[in-house]
Amino acid sequence: MTNHDEAADVRPLTLAWASRHLEAGERIVRTEALQGGITAEMRRLTIGMREGGTRYLVLRSFVNVEHAEDWLNREADALTLLTGTGVPAPGLVAVDPTAAHCEYPSLLMTHLAGRIVLDEEGLETRVPLLARQLVAIHALRPAERPREYATLTTADTVVTPKAADSAAWAAAINVIRKPAPPYQGRFLHRDFQPGNVLFDVPPSPAGPRITGVVDWAATSWGPADLDVAHCSTNLALLHGPAWGLRFAEAYEEAGGVLSAAASERLYWQARDALACSEEVQVVSQPWREAGRTELTTPAVAERLNAYVTALMDALS
């Protein structure tokens, strides 16, 4: 077996475990580290097939991650549920959530074509595609619901950026001090954002299309507003506040239904934006690794401040 680079090495027990889940006569001939993962090590495995040719699998391993067993069980359940639904998600091959066979808790899944696209160019075309895909996810009605959503951020844990609009942030923090609004439950991805969506972007005049949605470890049941708010925050940080505000409109244009009252929508929008305040550095690092080098931690914090201010201004 040849490795793309030293960082791509798969540990011996994990390699043996993955090999046991191949078809007869197949073998792993190459491993490559994949960029973009925040909590897990991601690798693409090139599989040499018995009759010649190759195919790919993706290995996801959690190294020193709290609650890894829970995350992997949830993702395995979600991938199983999504099979045959039309939502372009990976297929589950195998999972070892307790590291009974691998060095670290791991999941093996099919590989999806396409790539993550974080560029400014073509954004006006991709946003409606993102909205339509999220509407399709929310339309799923599984026989067994995933667990109820969870939010960890509180009004007391918000980290206000330096040079922030103190009045806007104080107002936003007061918004999330209130009880959560009532909602109609939907199947949520819970981390739906450009970094978890794969695109095929062919040369003009053919337009882009979504080829996959990945990272289903946080799948939950809750308000559609929460998924929309999360994607909105990410778009605001990647491309500016106006795109964060635009996504909710695109979601409704695609047939999605959000809370009727502006104050209820604001609750979810503010909650997600403020949650990001605690992890700006963690969120921005994979974007820089993907080529958006201008998105330094201070630059992203500045955009987050502008987005929170825009949310509060939109309500007034």
Side-chain angles (χ1 to χ4, degrees), residues 158-173 274 301-314 316:
V158 173
V159 179
T160 304
K162 294 179 180 178
D165 184 324
S166 56
W169 279 73
I173 290 171
L274 295 179
E302 185 177 336
R303 284 190 173 180
L304 179 60
N305 174 50
Y307 179 54
V308 170
T309 302
L311 286 175
M312 303 316 297
D313 286 346
S316 60

Side-chain angles (χ1 to χ4, degrees), residues 29-243:
V29 298
R30 182 182 177 90
T31 69
E32 302 169 73
L34 297 176
Q35 291 184 331
I38 295 177
T39 58
E41 291 184 357
M42 303 291 294
R43 295 180 177 86
R44 185 172 73 169
L45 311 183
T46 302
I47 311 301
M49 302 169 68
R50 182 174 58 182
E51 303 300 330
T54 58
R55 66 184 182 100
Y56 301 105
L57 295 175
V58 173
L59 175 68
R60 178 178 173 96
S61 296
F62 285 94
V63 180
N64 300 322
V65 175
E66 192 176 5
H67 308 305
E69 179 181 357
D70 182 50
W71 287 114
L72 287 179
N73 278 326
R74 291 173 73 176
E75 182 152 31
D77 289 346
L79 296 184
T80 300
L81 180 154
L82 289 163
T83 302
T85 62
V87 173
L92 177 66
V93 176
V95 62
D96 181 16
T98 61
H101 307 285
C102 304
E103 283 83 356
Y104 300 105
S106 299
L107 182 143
L108 191 64
M109 59 190 137
T110 59
H111 176 268
L112 299 175
R115 62 184 177 88
I116 293 170
V117 182
L118 304 179
D119 305 334
E120 299 286 354
E121 183 180 356
L123 183 60
E124 65 283 351
T125 303
R126 297 195 306 274
V127 164
L129 296 179
L130 289 169
R132 287 200 291 272
Q133 183 62 73
L134 190 54
V135 169
I137 291 170
H138 291 165
L140 296 176
R141 297 293 181 268
E144 185 175 344
R145 293 180 181 179
R147 70 185 65 186
E148 200 76 8
Y149 78 93
T151 56
L152 302 180
T153 298
T154 70
D156 297 321
T157 60
V158 173
V159 179
T160 304
K162 294 179 180 178
D165 184 324
S166 56
W169 279 73
I173 290 171
N174 283 333
V175 166
I176 70 167
R177 288 189 191 279
K178 302 171 185 175
Y183 63 87
Q184 185 174 11
R186 291 285 183 267
F187 182 83
L188 305 182
H189 181 281
R190 202 61 181 91
D191 191 16
F192 186 86
Q193 42 93 1
N196 282 330
V197 179
L198 304 177
F199 282 90
D200 175 32
V201 186
S204 297
R209 65 184 182 91
I210 290 176
T211 58
V213 181
V214 299
D215 196 353
W216 295 87
T219 302
S220 309
W221 189 261
D225 288 79
L226 194 53
D227 260 358
V228 172
H230 187 64
C231 192
S232 296
T233 300
N234 279 267
L235 287 169
L237 302 187
L238 278 165
H239 306 292
W243 285 106

